[in-house]
Amino acid sequence: MINEGQAAVVRRIYGMFLQGHSLPAIARRLTAEGIPTPGGKTSWSKTTIKSILTNEKYKGDALLQKVYTVDFLSKKKKVNEGEIPQYYVDHSRDAIIDPRVFDQAQRQMAAWQGKTNRHSSAGIFADRIRCGDCGSRYGQKVWHSNDKYRRVVWQCSHKFDGGVKCGTPHLDEAAMKERFVKAVNLLTAEREEIYGTFKEIEEQIFGMREQLGQVRERIGERMVKREGMERFLSEVKGQRDVVTEFDGGQWYSLVDVVTVFSMEDMCFTF
């Protein structure tokens, strides 16, 4: 039987992951909120989050004999690496996660494999702000870390590497949030035109499906981008009111990167 309390946590993990949150970020959030892990522990790890995101049981299926008993006397077990047959059973139990959502998570997980720098930093703005002068990512810096004037800012990572110094400004979180709110309101005003353009592109994509056999290895990555676009469109189409304050969920759902040229000139790429 499904434990609805725990099932809600599982659904939330999938939602956060598909929204763009990294595994460490999800683990930190759940730990900070005091939510126990499936094993009853108080601290979540990215390994636990990954195991939930890749466990087929949550979509109602089961892979039998993942592990097997090596010695029946000692009860020693070993991960099955092909020593004995495995069996996949569809619809073996009630699903907590819709199979389509589960499959989206697997494609997004595969797309992130090997991209160790992507989504790895702790800050909400990590990897999504780019310098308009040199193209480098903005990084988090701490000023006056040991005194009362301590301040966290974001600035171009290559700003002081020598050579030609970038003229782009540093940003604090308040400034970034204020400009994000303004950019979302500009985006919302054009939502119908954006949606219409996407539908035209989607029709073109469907018309080219027969040619995708030549680029099969890229299908997974394109599906991740398409699903991200659908989440983006859903967010934009549902945004009817003027945004008055920063929302972290909107940031993860909408922003690909922010290119900074000056305090008055920033380009939001959604």
Side-chain angles (χ1 to χ4, degrees), residues 37-69:
T37 69
K41 297 181 179 179
T42 58
S43 179
W44 290 76
S45 68
K46 68 176 184 179
T47 301
T48 303
I49 300 298
K50 184 176 181 180
S51 69
I52 290 175
L53 290 169
T54 56
N55 192 333
E56 72 286 339
K57 291 181 180 179
Y58 290 115
K59 70 168 181 174
D61 296 348
L63 178 61
L64 306 182
Q65 298 191 154
K66 289 182 180 179
V67 299
Y68 68 98
T69 302

Side-chain angles (χ1 to χ4, degrees), residues 125 129 138 151-154 169-183 246 251 258 260 262-266 268:
F125 301 123
I129 306 177
Y138 262 48
R151 184 184 179 196
V152 177
V153 300
W154 294 80
H170 66 268
L171 302 165
D172 59 25
E173 292 200 359
M176 193 69 252
K177 290 177 180 179
E178 177 185 344
R179 283 154 180 79
F180 171 71
V181 168
K182 182 178 179 180
F246 179 85
W251 170 270
V258 181
V260 178
S262 70
M263 289 297 288
E264 292 74 32
D265 187 3
M266 298 183 194
F268 281 76

Side-chain angles (χ1 to χ4, degrees), residues 85-156:
Q86 291 183 319
Y87 304 94
Y88 195 93
V89 182
D90 293 319
H91 312 301
S92 66
R93 64 193 68 210
D94 291 336
I96 293 176
I97 299 298
D98 185 287
R100 292 172 299 179
V101 173
F102 180 87
D103 292 342
Q104 288 176 18
Q106 306 322 296
R107 286 192 288 269
Q108 183 151 306
M109 186 76 71
W112 284 7
Q113 292 297 325
K115 299 180 180 180
T116 54
N117 292 328
R118 181 75 170 164
H119 305 286
S120 60
S121 301
I124 189 173
F125 301 123
D127 203 45
R128 299 206 185 193
I129 306 177
R130 182 171 55 201
C131 176
D133 283 353
C134 72
S136 298
R137 300 286 178 178
Y138 262 48
Q140 191 179 60
K141 308 292 181 183
V142 180
W143 291 355
H144 302 285
S145 58
N146 297 319
D147 59 41
K148 64 180 181 179
Y149 300 106
R150 186 180 188 277
R151 184 184 179 196
V152 177
V153 300
W154 294 80
Q155 66 182 32
C156 174

Side-chain angles (χ1 to χ4, degrees), residues 181 185 242-246:
V181 168
N185 287 325
V242 173
V243 179
T244 58
E245 60 183 21
F246 179 85

